[in-house]
Amino acid sequence: MNFKLGKLAAASVVSLGLAQMAHADVLEGTVTDGSGEAALEGALVKIEGLNRTTSTGRFGDYRFSGVPAGQYDVTVSYIGADPITQTVTITGDSSADFRLGGDIRYLDNVLVVGSSAAQAGAINQQRASDAIISVIDSDGLGNFPDTTVADSLSRVPGLSIKTDQGEGRYVSIRGINPDLIAASINGVRTPSPEDRRGVLLDGVPSDLLDGIEVQKSLTPDVDADTLGGVIDLKTISAFDRDGRFIRGKIEGAYNEITEEVSPKATLTYSDTFADTIGVALSVNYQDLSIETHNNETGEFGLTDDGIGYLNDDYEMRWYDLNRQRLGFVGNFDWRFSENTDLYLRTLFNNYEDDEVRNKFEFKDLDDSEDDGIIAPGSQTVPLNEVDAEARKRREVRQIQTYSLGGDTAWDDWNFKYEVSYAYAEEDDSDNHDVTFRFEDIQDAAADAGLTDTNVVFDFSNPETPVLSGDVLSLVYDPSNYIMDAFEEEKTTNEDKEVAARFDAEYDSVIGNTPVTWKAGVKLRDREKTRDANVIFWEADEDLNLSPYVGSRLLSGWRLPNPMVEWPDANLTTALRNGAGPTFELDEDATNFDSLAEDFTIEETITAVYGMGTFDIGDLTLVAGVRMEDTKTDLTGNVFAEEDDPANLVAREVSNDYSHWLPSVNAKYHFTDKIIGRAAYYAAVVRPSFGEYAPYTLFNDDRDELEVGNPNLDPYEADNFDLGIEFYPTEFSVLSMGVFYKEIDNAIYPATYERDEDINGDLIPVADFRALVPVDLTYLTDAQLADVEEIETYINVGKSEITGVEFNYVQDLGDVSEALDGFLLSGNLTLTDSESTLPDGRKVPFLQQSDTVWNIALGYDKGPWDLRVSANFRGAQLDELTEENLDRMTDERTLVEASAKYKLNDHVQLYLEGKNLTDEPEYYYFGSKRRLSQYDEFGTTVVFGARMTY
């Protein structure tokens, strides 16, 4: 009954707005820089006396409808330029264009060239937005401030990056887990080639972009699948600037570890034809060499006295990678008529990762507790087994997005429509792993006449422990190693989404209050598939490592213990496809790993929404509701018994649920320089694919089981924001905000161990089932009879995130004329988070950083554009293990610097330094004294030239 009354009331308000509409006269036009060639997005356009204000769009365009005929003063303001006012007569369809800044040459206009111009564009778009957003903008020549998307995003307030092999790969907003952050390209949700929802951003070169918008508070017309915000990557368009535009860039990157120069090149072309057709094309290529030095451990235990000891394994890893990226953007715009614009947006990105990884692993170190010596900072342990492993892998990833749509204005109506297709693929089709093992080390040491057969681990520096002992002379002799395992992999992951949307806007006036009504519908049809193909080979006879050794030890290794360069991955390539008479296919293991991990997930989301934007004097209010209905069909495989494909049974699970998601965004102009903001939005984030895929993985002994949980509930969150912005001078901003997120159904990994009774026997299966909050009804008691441990994913109770943000941008020329050209910016985000696990233990929200800050000092004047910056990301909970032993990501500070010099109107040279302090990445178990993983990547210097015509 109440719902019907609500609909009736809404209909009455809409009818009232239609009835009170003024005559549908229209004022539209564009706002550009002084040259008239660079569009200015985010400029505020105000009709004095009517209380009507709007902001310019991407192409500098603005539009008022429903304006009473007459003569008005129209004022345009843009941070970085003096405001201008001109008198406009409106009758019927009228137009007025504005130019801001001096009428000087395009290439010298301060509004469109250099870091200051990009910063001005970002500030204006943020000020004009009705939601809480952060923007990274290119300057008028399309120059992006950084060479990678991740580099740029790391400077946005509240944003930090997660790296892979030293490159920024995933982005966190306000410290939140990247899997809970949404990303899109030109508004099209970007699929993920992995089994997660977090989107890879290292594969999209910044040279293909014209800007990035990070929306932190959602409005009803935005997909609600994010807890932290939406990152939208905007590619170039011909109408971003006037006339023909050509830009070429060539650069090299030198890394101190690889000691190689990695080339990169970009070519961009855009042009407009007859002022109605725009074509923008850009191609980018990079060939990047990476070398990473790593050591890590499996897990730690604690003695009764609380002393940590290594009780699993210790590994050293050497990664030698070559990453090739080829990106292409083709965007086409057609101004079909005075009222209709059509577009086609395309992006293709191909990423190839050729990797050689050597791993040297000291195994079965859990004897320390019984047979070794444990002391603070060191342990002595008898050594039993060591593995030498080589992996050679070629991984190909593709991301493609295509969108076809348009925008039609008709009197007081505006219609937007779009169909899109997005595709991502990860193809591991050219991989092999080979492991040689040195077993019975104690016997070999005795045969060699060694009296001390122990190894001492010195953890005085826990990031890089030092090993010592006479037995290591045998460990570093390759002739002691016999092949243990050889496997090949040809696995693919695919993610496809087809989407269509239609939005309608209607401008009205209720009394003296302008109101824009908006409603729309969107359909997203997504399919995620994993097709694993792993082939295991067994040697019929002993195969010694010696023929597969090239160099004995790795030169230039930066960690204290010598690192082997064997097996030589190029030599072990000859073993592929079971080459040689000494190999036999392990059918059971091959069938199991090739079928049990396969899954298909079909996800259909239907959304409808309605909202209104009310301009009530100095208050702008955006309010409405979005409904999202989700249908999922999931298919996985279960081996009923043994590993014979004939015993394979498909498991199918379907779910259907709906969410009503209200949101309110308010913006209030206290003065021309002070803006207050408040926002509330509800969000729903569906589980990651790897968490709720219906897979069932037994280990070889069938005493351990790993299962996905297709019955997981999605994250549900209420999000609140309150902030204030102060623009004290023409080119500065000081802002502060607080936020609070209340989250239900957060998803955590969980492990359940089967207890023993007083006789030492496993408790009955029925009792074990009752302890595990996951549907196991599809498995028989016989299949679970020997299972002692189950790993899965579960929903937990309420989680909370509370935070505060500060942002400061200052043109130091406003402080002193002597500092003209200097620009200072900094931001700080502090958060406190908590989740309650089913056992009552309270932990920080998974992968939530408590502190994120950025600071940068730049100089942009004349031919010079200089900047030095630092980015800090606080420690975070990475994985749950057990209390005091959870895996943590350590805090990290990255320092970068860049220098750009304009030789003339067309050529600019630049030099950049990345990771200047040679900062490693460190993970630990509960305490920094307990190593989990440590990586060194070295410092990289980038040099290049950019040519613009």
Side-chain angles (χ1 to χ4, degrees), residues 176 226-227 680-685 714-721 739-746 796-803 832-835 845:
I176 292 174
T226 178
L227 295 190
Y680 160 78
Y681 74 92
V684 54
V685 178
Y715 292 78
E716 298 172 352
D718 290 311
N719 306 268
F720 302 86
D721 280 86
F739 58 90
Y740 172 74
K741 299 176 181 293
E742 185 177 276
I743 304 164
D744 292 324
N745 307 324
V796 304
K798 181 186 294 185
S799 301
E800 295 179 309
I801 302 174
T802 304
D832 181 60
S833 66
E834 183 178 87
S835 291
F845 195 68

Side-chain angles (χ1 to χ4, degrees), residues 797-820:
K798 181 186 294 185
S799 301
E800 295 179 309
I801 302 174
T802 304
V804 59
E805 284 183 337
F806 302 91
N807 184 38
Y808 179 55
V809 178
Q810 178 67 62
D811 182 350
L812 296 180
D814 294 333
V815 178
S816 169
E817 291 186 5
L819 298 176
D820 184 39

Side-chain angles (χ1 to χ4, degrees), residues 192 520 653 727 746 767 947:
S192 171
V653 182
Y727 300 87
D767 294 341
M947 294 141 285

Side-chain angles (χ1 to χ4, degrees), residues 529-560:
T529 60
R530 175 175 174 81
D531 180 18
N533 293 281
V534 185
I535 305 171
F536 292 88
W537 299 97
E538 292 181 343
D540 289 338
E541 57 189 51
D542 289 345
L543 189 63
N544 193 272
L545 173 60
S546 297
Y548 303 96
V549 173
S551 301
R552 302 276 294 191
L553 296 177
L554 188 70
S555 63
W557 181 248
R558 290 160 62 110
L559 304 184

Side-chain angles (χ1 to χ4, degrees), residues 620-638:
T620 300
L621 185 67
V622 182
V625 66
R626 183 180 186 90
M627 190 282 294
E628 292 194 355
D629 178 74
T630 306
K631 291 181 172 64
T632 58
D633 294 305
L634 308 96
T635 304
N637 295 327
V638 181

Side-chain angles (χ1 to χ4, degrees), residues 760-943:
D761 298 323
L762 295 174
I763 63 173
V765 171
D767 294 341
F768 187 37
R769 287 180 185 271
L771 295 175
V772 183
V774 176
D775 179 19
L776 299 175
T777 57
Y778 66 98
L779 296 173
T780 66
D781 285 357
Q783 291 167 344
L784 294 173
D786 297 326
V787 173
E788 300 177 10
E789 180 180 281
I790 294 179
E791 294 183 6
T792 186
Y793 297 89
I794 61 170
N795 292 114
V796 304
K798 181 186 294 185
S799 301
E800 295 179 309
I801 302 174
T802 304
V804 59
E805 284 183 337
F806 302 91
N807 184 38
Y808 179 55
V809 178
Q810 178 67 62
D811 182 350
L812 296 180
D814 294 333
V815 178
S816 169
E817 291 186 5
L819 298 176
D820 184 39
F822 285 93
L823 180 67
L824 176 67
S825 63
N827 55 76
L828 169 67
T829 300
L830 303 172
T831 60
D832 181 60
S833 66
E834 183 178 87
S835 291
T836 303
L837 303 182
D839 61 3
R841 183 159 74 100
K842 295 184 182 300
V843 298
F845 195 68
L846 196 63
Q847 296 192 25
Q848 174 74 44
S849 294
D850 56 0
T851 304
V852 175
W853 58 255
N854 304 275
I855 188 168
L857 177 64
Y859 176 79
D860 185 6
K861 189 175 181 180
W864 287 103
D865 188 349
L866 311 173
R867 184 181 62 199
V868 60
S869 63
N871 168 260
F872 174 84
R873 181 208 64 211
Q876 58 184 228
L877 173 63
D878 186 61
E879 293 179 6
L880 285 175
T881 304
E882 61 180 276
E883 192 167 5
N884 298 320
L885 289 173
D886 292 329
R887 176 176 153 105
M888 303 291 295
T889 306
D890 196 16
E891 60 189 35
R892 192 175 189 215
T893 303
L894 293 176
V895 178
E896 300 180 352
S898 66
K900 302 175 183 177
Y901 182 79
K902 188 174 69 173
L903 286 178
N904 52 47
D905 288 348
H906 301 289
V907 180
Q908 183 186 60
L909 305 179
Y910 59 90
L911 180 68
E912 297 182 7
K914 299 179 180 297
N915 193 20
L916 292 176
T917 57
D918 195 9
E919 185 81 356
E921 186 86 82
Y922 182 52
Y923 302 81
Y924 55 88
F925 289 111
S927 165
K928 291 185 180 182
R929 297 188 302 272
R930 298 190 282 270
L931 164 72
S932 173
Q933 180 178 331
Y934 174 86
D935 299 273
E936 290 198 9
F937 313 105
T939 297
T940 299
V941 176
V942 180
F943 52 92

